[in-house]
Amino acid sequence: MHHFFVSPDQIHRDKIEIVGEDFHHIIDVLRIQNQEKFVICDGDGSDYLCKIGEQISSEKRLTAQILDVYPSESELPYRLVLYQGLAKGKKMDEIIQKGTELGVSDFIPFESQFCVVHLKEAKAIKKKVARWQKIAKSAAQQSKRGRIPQVHLPIFLSKLDKFHGKSLIAYENEKKRSLKEVVQQWEHPVDQINILIGPEGGFAEEEVSTLEKAGAESVSLGKRILRTETAGMALCAQLNYALE
Ligand code: SAM
């Protein structure tokens, strides 16, 4: 069944206003028929089962009649925040797309000591974040998420001094602690999990110890060195396996 996001202000008591590109998508691209059901999501955890109500083609607008409303069942039982070392080229696009499919709710890019990508002028960064946010919305639509993940403005890793919930640093030089051992020791349920993935150049030792002082635990993802765009996805998938 098709699945769209609308902003909450389009949702009224028993109907939803559809305009603009969503009107075009429903009528011209997907050619949804009058009695056909589809799901509209408010991006904040509720899904609305709908069918087409009134259609005013001249104004490219229609109302979707609400048949039922229920909590989005595709969200993880914990908030998953991915702190991602800024990576080169299109890697961030891939990380945001795949991370969205795996249930990430917030992407927080960061610059750290071994980053090859630097936070230069704010304008360029704002443009990148806007593009990444679009990728997150379309990946959320495709994967039928109940929420559109938020892509935050990048931060400097050195500024991170506290976390809410549990925090894991995927550290390539961690030789002792496995993810399994750490997660097994947690008291469940956990409401938020922060994961930190280094850039192509990895984490500096002092960065890891600073993050550990802020309460994060460093874990190994195995004996192989994963690319930065692989590591976050591997960690998300293993957490989903263990906790979802
Ligand atoms: N420059 C590092 C090196 O050559 O050892 C590799 C960094 S790796 C490309 C990028 C990030 O992926 C790391 O900082 C870490 O967060 C994560 N990562 C990759 N392999 C890992 C592993 N086996 N265990 C834990 N984290 C890993």
Side-chain angles (χ1 to χ4, degrees):
M1 207 183 297
H2 298 300
H3 183 280
F4 305 89
F5 286 102
V6 296
S7 55
D9 60 6
Q10 289 173 254
I11 301 173
H12 309 292
R13 202 173 46 76
D14 58 352
K15 62 180 185 201
I16 299 175
E17 294 290 326
I18 303 286
V19 291
E21 61 179 75
D22 281 341
F23 173 93
H24 166 65
H25 201 63
I26 290 176
I27 301 299
D28 306 321
V29 177
L30 301 174
R31 298 178 184 280
I32 291 183
Q33 302 305 312
N34 273 342
Q35 292 313 314
E36 190 180 340
K37 295 193 178 74
F38 53 94
V39 173
I40 287 183
C41 185
D42 64 2
D44 197 20
S46 296
D47 284 355
Y48 296 78
L49 182 66
C50 297
K51 66 175 186 174
I52 293 179
E54 198 195 349
Q55 185 178 330
I56 313 156
S57 303
S58 54
E59 294 169 22
K60 289 198 171 299
R61 106 189 358 258
L62 64 85
T63 56
Q65 197 188 330
I66 298 174
L67 305 171
D68 192 5
V69 53
Y70 41 83
S72 311
E73 66 259 10
S74 58
E75 289 305 299
L76 293 173
Y78 47 89
R79 184 178 179 168
L80 183 57
V81 181
L82 170 53
Y83 289 86
Q84 173 63 47
L86 280 167
K88 282 184 294 194
K90 296 270 182 217
K91 289 180 187 174
M92 291 302 288
D93 297 15
E94 192 187 330
I95 289 162
I96 285 164
Q97 185 191 60
K98 311 250 174 277
T100 298
E101 294 168 48
L102 286 162
V104 171
S105 62
D106 295 78
F107 293 94
I108 305 179
F110 64 77
E111 179 174 344
S112 55
Q113 197 174 329
F114 297 147
C115 260
V116 289
V117 177
H118 297 288
L119 300 176
K120 289 200 190 76
E121 71 287 356
K123 211 161 132 265
I125 285 287
K126 277 215 173 83
K127 218 165 131 230
K128 271 190 183 166
V129 168
R131 194 161 64 83
W132 293 337
Q133 188 60 64
K134 271 205 178 131
I135 291 172
K137 179 177 179 185
S138 104
Q141 203 138 314
Q142 173 275 323
S143 56
K144 297 187 173 15
R145 286 283 302 268
R147 276 179 210 288
I148 301 173
Q150 191 186 343
V151 182
H152 298 252
L153 282 171
I155 58 169
F156 287 99
L157 186 68
S158 47
K159 297 272 182 271
L160 253 188
D161 57 8
K162 64 177 172 316
F163 294 102
H164 171 75
K166 295 293 185 189
S167 302
L168 297 167
I169 315 159
Y171 184 33
E172 58 277 24
N173 298 328
E174 172 58 57
K175 300 299 176 213
K176 291 193 295 294
R177 238 186 328 223
S178 73
L179 174 64
K180 197 170 170 183
E181 285 162 61
V182 170
V183 171
Q184 270 172 351
Q185 281 157 12
W186 287 351
E187 291 241 325
H188 295 282
V190 176
D191 71 335
Q192 177 168 327
I193 301 175
N194 309 295
I195 58 175
L196 295 112
I197 304 294
E200 290 92 341
F203 280 118
E205 209 170 314
E206 58 276 18
E207 287 173 333
V208 175
S209 34
T210 308
L211 292 167
E212 286 177 325
K213 282 193 196 93
E217 299 171 273
S218 83
V219 290
S220 166
L221 295 181
K223 298 206 175 5
R224 294 165 299 286
I225 293 294
L226 309 176
R227 290 175 186 276
T228 187
E229 63 272 28
T230 312
M233 301 316 116
L235 183 43
C236 289
Q238 291 179 67
L239 288 170
N240 294 2
Y241 167 74
L243 302 172
E244 187 177 14

